[in-house]
Amino acid sequence: MDNNEYLFCEMPVRRAVLALAVPTVISQIITVIYNMADTFFIGQLNDPNQVAAATVAMPAFAALTALSNLFGIGGASKIARCLGKKDEETAKKTAAFSIWTAVFVALFYGVIIFLVRPWFLPVLGTNAETYDFCSGYVFWTITIGAIPTVLNAALAHLIRTEGYAKQAGFGVAFGGILNIVLDPIFIFVFHMEITGAAIATMLSNMAAMLYFFLFLYKIRKKTVITPNPKYYCITDGIPGDVVIGGLPSFVMMMLGCLSNSILNRLVTSYSNEAMAGMGIAKKIDMIAFSVAQGMTQGVLPLIAYNYASGNQKRMSKSIRATLTYTLIMACSATLILFFFASPITRCFIDNDATVSYGRDFLKAICFTCPSTAVNFMIIMVFQATKQKVQPLILSMLRKGSVDIPLMIVLNRLIGINGIAWATPLADWLTLIVSMLLFLPYINKIKKSASI
């Protein structure tokens, strides 16, 4: 039994969960930090317009993460189940399909965004002061950077299915750290301001993508994760399984983009300082969000593998261990962000109005940390065990269908603070539905495993 198979089959459950989750969490945190680095370094220019422009661009940029989740998480779930059944041929076809389809779709998205940006960016929330800044940022991060950004994350998901969590985490972290190094060089040394931040992001994702391809070449004789076009396949149910597996994560991210776009439109009607403060708060809260996301994404292969191999007892123990760790970290994050909201926000920009808005937003949205942790865990379990309806319902509830009406109504009732509170209210309402769907399902698993 090789080391990776030992991890999935024999290693004590808590150790296996940590071995897969910790590198993923670290890489996710570093990814958020490098996204925050853009905001931080742009904020040092003390220009709320440029901070607001980067904030407005985020929904369009986040759509790239949705695409990487569609093919990365969907492919990873399918590959893990194939490995659990010892079907390496289908696993190779799934990997090639996921990689190349991600390339084609990312390229298409980048071109479309370039063509429609004159009317699309105002829809997102740009105005006369922010349009040019936002347009330059979007050109480098999306039009030029779409393929490396999507493949960077997708390849990390795929190689994690064979137990290479440390290597996946290193690749993502490498790109993030490089971005942090390049940001001040392009922004301040080359005097490129927000455009420099965008170029730094694009180059960092390009470097991370190259790392993953070099790693795959190194292990080419012992891995099923292959970009070899000869394995590209649109038969055997592979496209459907990949899309169905990744669709909940894709839908959740895309609805999140829609939700953030509506939020931007509502907040920008107050002031650019309000927009900048909200953007800073959202970036800070993403650290806690990334912990929950990293835990669930890291453990997905373990749960999918044991589900496919019929070891439901080990799968149930993995779920419990992951949920315990995730909740402890999520509750800790809520306390830290709530009580230190003001000084944390001031680290990003020395503008009293912006800091005030950022503090108030952060104190509200930090309450999503525990509910998000549980919701992500439940959605991931449904994805890993090839459930179709439940994860899609929960993904749609988390973002888009509940929070947007709440933002609009609460904005009219209590103003800008109501916009901030719509997010935690929607997430906690989703948690109720999550538990109603999950508890009967997990009880069924326990009975079948004779627990």
Side-chain angles (χ1 to χ4, degrees), residues 252 255-256 258-259 395-405 426:
M252 186 161 52
L255 289 176
L258 174 63
S259 174
S395 297
M396 294 175 68
L397 283 175
R398 275 204 73 249
K399 287 289 183 180
S401 60
V402 176
D403 63 334
I404 290 177

Side-chain angles (χ1 to χ4, degrees), residues 126-142:
T126 59
N127 53 32
E129 291 81 17
T130 60
Y131 176 83
D132 288 340
F133 291 130
C134 188
S135 180
Y137 191 86
V138 164
F139 174 77
W140 286 105
T141 57
I142 299 178

